[in-house]
Amino acid sequence: SKPLFVSPTGLDIEKYSVKNIELEYPVFYHLGSLDWLPNTEGLLWFLEKIWSVISKKYPKYKFVIAGRNAPSDFIEKIKKYNVDYRGEIENIVEFSRRQSVMIVPLHSGSGMRIKIIEAMAMGKLVISTSKGLEGINAKNYREIIKIDSEKKFIETIFNIIEKKIDIRPISHNAKNFISKKFNNIANCKSLINFYQSTKK
């Protein structure tokens, strides 16, 4: 059989090496293409089942949603929730600096979510589903938080707001994880080493 090398998706880590703004309390957000049905379906599920419960207890918290090409009916539907809708973002790195916890409530679709590894590279805590985290073999509650049930989603966000979960070490671990596993420079070196080894 012929030698095989699988190179993962990579990032220019330096591009995401930014100093995050110190915030008084965590800002929950979603950033992604809003013309992709799995994103809008997942967000509407999250707003109806989870964020509506969070907002009732903690009305000062808003869920920030940003992304391009949002359908008009989606924008209309989210107005009834405690949401800060930003639309298309010109500079995602600058936008993300001001956020804390990225929510990716996916239940369908396929492929690796580049926005998740970008957020992790910037030291953001990412909370997502098993579907959303496909292809990202990060450790649960060490580098990422993986949740599939409504009850656990609500409980986890309450715990973050009430500081029963410290997001800082998970965010720090997330950044280190991406730097090691999804670094373009490291991936290129591994590919070169593979080529060289096959010549022997």
Side-chain angles (χ1 to χ4, degrees):
S1 62
K2 293 183 179 180
L4 178 67
F5 180 85
V6 178
S7 181
T9 297
L11 298 177
D12 177 359
I13 298 299
E14 288 302 313
K15 177 182 174 182
Y16 301 95
S17 181
V18 294
K19 187 173 182 181
N20 292 314
I21 293 172
E22 290 292 328
L23 301 164
E24 290 182 19
Y25 54 87
V27 179
F28 301 90
Y29 76 108
H30 176 88
L31 174 61
S33 298
L34 298 175
D35 54 357
W36 191 49
L37 190 58
N39 272 345
T40 53
E41 283 182 343
L43 284 169
L44 290 172
W45 169 83
F46 176 79
L47 290 171
E48 180 187 352
K49 303 294 185 180
I50 291 117
W51 193 249
S52 59
V53 178
I54 305 297
S55 291
K56 195 170 182 179
K57 188 173 181 181
Y58 293 103
K60 76 172 183 179
Y61 283 83
K62 283 191 174 182
F63 181 49
V64 180
I65 297 177
R68 63 173 185 253
N69 300 332
S72 56
D73 62 330
F74 172 78
I75 296 172
E76 198 60 37
K77 285 175 184 175
I78 67 175
K79 284 181 181 178
K80 64 179 180 179
Y81 301 102
N82 196 13
V83 165
D84 179 3
Y85 172 65
R86 303 285 182 87
E88 187 170 1
I89 297 298
E90 194 171 315
N91 187 325
I92 66 165
V93 174
E94 184 57 32
F95 164 77
S96 299
R97 283 182 68 221
R98 301 171 183 276
Q99 322 306 325
S100 308
V101 181
M102 187 182 198
I103 307 290
V104 188
L106 285 174
H107 298 285
S108 61
S110 61
M112 186 186 295
R113 325 300 167 182
I114 301 301
K115 287 290 185 289
I116 289 181
I117 63 173
E118 287 176 337
M120 293 174 72
M122 287 184 278
K124 304 301 170 187
L125 169 61
V126 176
I127 304 177
S128 187
T129 58
S130 297
K131 174 60 71 174
L133 293 172
E134 286 179 347
I136 304 171
N137 297 317
K139 291 184 177 66
N140 202 12
Y141 284 94
R142 176 175 169 79
E143 296 141 352
I144 210 150
I145 294 182
K146 180 168 65 176
I147 304 173
D148 289 307
S149 77
E150 294 173 19
K151 182 180 177 182
K152 192 68 177 174
F153 245 114
I154 293 167
E155 179 187 312
T156 300
I157 293 175
F158 276 154
N159 285 339
I160 290 171
I161 291 172
E162 293 163 8
K163 302 190 185 304
K164 293 174 184 175
I165 293 176
D166 187 353
I167 70 173
R168 291 171 298 179
I170 306 176
S171 300
H172 177 74
N173 292 338
K175 193 171 186 176
N176 287 341
F177 173 80
I178 297 301
S179 182
K180 291 175 183 175
K181 302 289 186 181
F182 295 92
N183 187 332
N184 269 341
I185 294 174
N187 291 348
C188 286
K189 286 180 180 177
S190 297
L191 182 59
I192 290 168
N193 289 337
F194 170 75
Y195 284 142
Q196 290 174 340
S197 69
T198 59
K199 291 178 181 179
K200 295 176 182 178

